Amino acid sequence: MAVENAAAWERLGALLSELGFEPGKGWEDATGKGAAFLAPLGNLEFVTGRQPAVPELLVEVTSLDVVHTAVKKWMTAEGLTAKLGDVAETHWNSRLFTAEPAPGVQIGFWERNDPYSGKPAAMEGDLIATGMRFAIVVARWNAVITHRLLQGALDALLRSGAKKDYIEIVRVPGAWEIPAAARTLAETKKFDALITLGVLLRGETAHYEAIYNEVSRGIGQSQQETGVPHAFGVLTCETLEQALNRAGLKAGNKGFEAAAAAIEMVSINKKIGQKHGSAK
Ligand code: DLZ
């Protein structure tokens, strides 16, 4: 797509970044420059013959209403509210809205009414936590690490759209106590998913295997018997250094990963329910 001027260029780039597109490999030479944006699963479409109702640049999305809210927030901050259209039905069994983030640059965002149309058969959860309720059970034992796991989990939830007020944090003495607290929370049916966080260090834990087996079995059993997803963020490490690496130093943050898994499971359960009906 050709962009008219530098201001439009800046604006378009800012909006796409705000929506979470990763910067791709751009280019620049004597004739001009190009900015690339990557989408994990893309559907690029050129359209002709349907303007002005349908802009020439269309971005297919999931969760159109969430995207509309994000675009609206950005356009309001830029003083461009008037250049944002409402979400409306299209004649091809989809919904669409149009935004003009810069003069002459129109983008249409759209979502199919049937999310499975034209897609491979596999269903996948989205990483959008808007409106979801979570409980995090975190062990105090090895707090220097579990604190980092908790920060990672909160980071994942809040950046995915979860509300602070929808997150209950429950601290327990050690990993041994996680299953019982998780079960109590799951049985309230007030949470869409649970996130369990703890650290068992082999070198410092007598009967390490027995404790680990019981903790993992208890968390799994609570998940299966209550039907509430329980993300497993209990680290089992040989050394403190290994645990630190998995809590944000060198090998990712397992708290973040557990929270992302929890969001995905809530989303996938919802989709399975919508497609096949809920078992409950
Ligand atoms: C007792 C103990 C030991 C030795 N090691 C750990 C550990 O590495 N990680 C952990 O989360 N908790 C440990 N605990 C505490 C137990 O989980 C439990 O809290 C106490 O035995 C009290 O029931």
Side-chain angles (χ1 to χ4, degrees):
M1 179 184 195
V3 179
E4 281 298 312
N5 56 46
W9 172 277
E10 289 299 329
R11 281 235 162 106
L12 194 54
L15 174 60
L16 294 175
S17 302
E18 180 72 20
L19 291 176
F21 282 84
E22 291 282 326
K25 199 165 181 289
W27 58 270
E28 182 159 9
D29 63 21
T31 60
K33 58 182 178 176
F37 288 88
L38 308 176
L41 227 183
N43 178 8
L44 176 67
E45 194 167 351
F46 298 96
V47 182
T48 185
R50 288 180 173 164
Q51 285 179 284
V54 177
E56 59 188 356
L57 181 63
L58 289 179
V59 181
E60 184 179 353
V61 300
T62 54
S63 307
L64 187 70
D65 298 306
V66 174
V67 176
H68 190 260
T69 305
V71 174
K72 189 173 185 178
K73 193 173 160 199
W74 185 88
M75 302 233 349
T76 304
E78 296 285 317
L80 294 168
T81 324
K83 301 287 184 183
L84 176 67
D86 292 328
V87 175
E89 285 290 328
T90 70
H91 64 275
W92 69 88
N93 201 23
S94 301
R95 295 183 311 138
L96 173 138
F97 73 87
T98 302
E100 193 175 335
V105 178
Q106 279 217 335
I107 312 180
F109 293 91
W110 69 288
E111 180 183 32
R112 295 170 200 270
N113 289 342
D114 173 5
Y116 306 107
S117 158
K119 294 272 179 354
M123 277 194 278
E124 274 183 305
D126 298 321
L127 290 175
I128 298 168
T130 313
M132 294 179 184
R133 293 176 183 269
F134 298 92
I136 304 177
V137 184
V138 54
R140 274 195 300 267
W141 195 278
N142 293 320
V144 66
I145 299 160
T146 60
H147 178 71
R148 288 165 188 242
L149 295 175
L150 177 61
Q151 293 306 317
L154 290 173
D155 189 26
L157 296 182
L158 297 173
R159 278 167 52 187
S160 304
K163 263 174 63 183
K164 197 166 137 261
D165 294 348
Y166 285 11
I167 303 170
E168 184 82 75
I169 300 170
V170 174
R171 292 185 195 276
V172 294
W176 181 255
E177 282 75 29
I178 292 176
R183 177 84 186 219
T184 306
L185 287 158
E187 281 177 347
T188 65
K189 298 286 175 195
K190 286 188 178 164
F191 305 100
D192 295 303
L194 267 83
I195 298 154
T196 60
L197 303 174
V199 178
L200 284 162
L201 293 178
R202 184 191 288 272
E204 293 167 20
T205 312
H207 316 300
Y208 171 87
E209 252 85 29
I211 293 183
Y212 173 69
N213 286 338
E214 195 55 26
V215 171
S216 52
R217 191 195 58 77
I219 293 172
Q221 190 174 346
S222 176
Q223 167 169 259
Q224 282 144 21
E225 292 180 2
T226 62
V228 178
H230 289 39
F232 191 78
V234 181
L235 297 184
T236 49
C237 301
E238 300 295 320
T239 61
L240 188 66
E241 187 190 358
Q242 204 179 57
L244 276 167
N245 282 341
R246 294 180 190 172
L249 231 52
K250 289 186 190 161
N253 184 313
K254 300 298 168 196
F256 187 101
E257 289 171 24
I263 298 168
E264 193 171 339
M265 288 310 295
V266 177
S267 169
I268 197 68
N269 282 351
K270 208 162 133 192
K271 288 190 186 184
I272 293 170
Q274 280 166 356
K275 192 172 181 190
H276 298 290
S278 169
K280 283 166 257 160

